[in-house]
Amino acid sequence: MTVSSTPMNLTRAAHVGISVSNLDASIAFYQALTGREPVVADETMHSVPFGMSQGLPTAKLRYATINLDNSLGIDLIEFQEPVGERTNGVANRPGSMHLCFRVDDFDAVYQRMKQVGYDFLGEGYTFLAGEVTPDAALGTKVAYFNDPDGTNLEIIQPKGGFAG
């Protein structure tokens, strides 16, 4: 694919869409994670043209939206037709992505999440000298985990260059 270098000025995110296998289970997971009720709880879409706009033969789906403080919506989408296969989006696979939640007190949030049963992919981590630039980003704390469908998620207490 060749893309022009002409800026499109897309500078504001509206939402992130996450395909899920079970809408009800995913709503429960993201409600517990965010402490937010969905603003859209169980809506549907069904359309051949809408599906075709996504490169699919049709689209029949259920969805819910949970809004975060910074106006970013998390759209949870359960495709009923056609049903997709799990991607197993491991972090180093091109095309995989993650959703990152900013926290003010990493240690408290991390410990609370561990206590209630969140399975982290590894231990929480603090960036040290020689591992990251700029030096102002030293001390940034991160931890990674997955939702029930394997979507990559992160918590971060950013410093310096990551604090943007």
Side-chain angles (χ1 to χ4, degrees):
M1 169 166 61
T2 303
V3 177
S4 168
S5 61
T6 304
M8 296 295 116
N9 299 318
L10 302 177
T11 60
R12 295 183 296 159
H15 67 266
V16 59
I18 301 173
S19 293
V20 302
S21 62
N22 180 314
L23 182 62
D24 300 315
S26 292
I27 289 172
F29 176 88
Y30 282 93
Q31 274 185 289
L33 189 65
T34 65
R36 298 293 174 87
E37 295 288 324
V39 293
V40 173
D42 187 2
E43 299 296 326
T44 62
M45 291 182 192
H46 187 195
S47 165
V48 169
F50 176 62
M52 292 177 72
S53 76
Q54 297 183 63
L56 301 169
T58 188
K60 180 179 180 186
L61 55 91
R62 295 173 57 216
Y63 69 96
T65 300
I66 295 176
N67 286 334
L68 303 179
D69 286 345
N70 57 354
S71 300
L72 181 71
I74 301 172
D75 286 0
L76 304 171
I77 307 161
E78 178 186 341
F79 279 85
Q80 297 172 315
E81 290 178 28
V83 174
E85 295 179 26
R86 186 176 166 145
T87 63
N88 295 319
V90 178
N92 67 342
R93 292 186 180 168
S96 71
M97 59 168 288
H98 68 271
L99 174 59
C100 182
F101 295 92
R102 183 180 186 139
V103 298
D104 294 325
D105 185 342
F106 178 88
D107 296 327
V109 172
Y110 179 72
Q111 289 305 319
R112 189 169 65 242
M113 289 176 72
K114 284 182 75 166
Q115 288 170 355
V116 299
Y118 286 87
D119 291 325
F120 286 91
L121 301 176
E123 293 300 313
Y125 190 75
T126 304
F127 284 99
L128 304 173
E131 294 179 334
V132 66
T133 58
D135 286 342
L138 297 176
T140 293
K141 296 180 178 186
V142 297
Y144 298 88
F145 59 107
N146 294 134
D147 78 0
D149 288 299
T151 301
N152 297 315
L153 302 172
E154 174 186 6
I155 56 172
I156 188 170
Q157 183 177 348
K159 303 285 185 194
F162 289 134

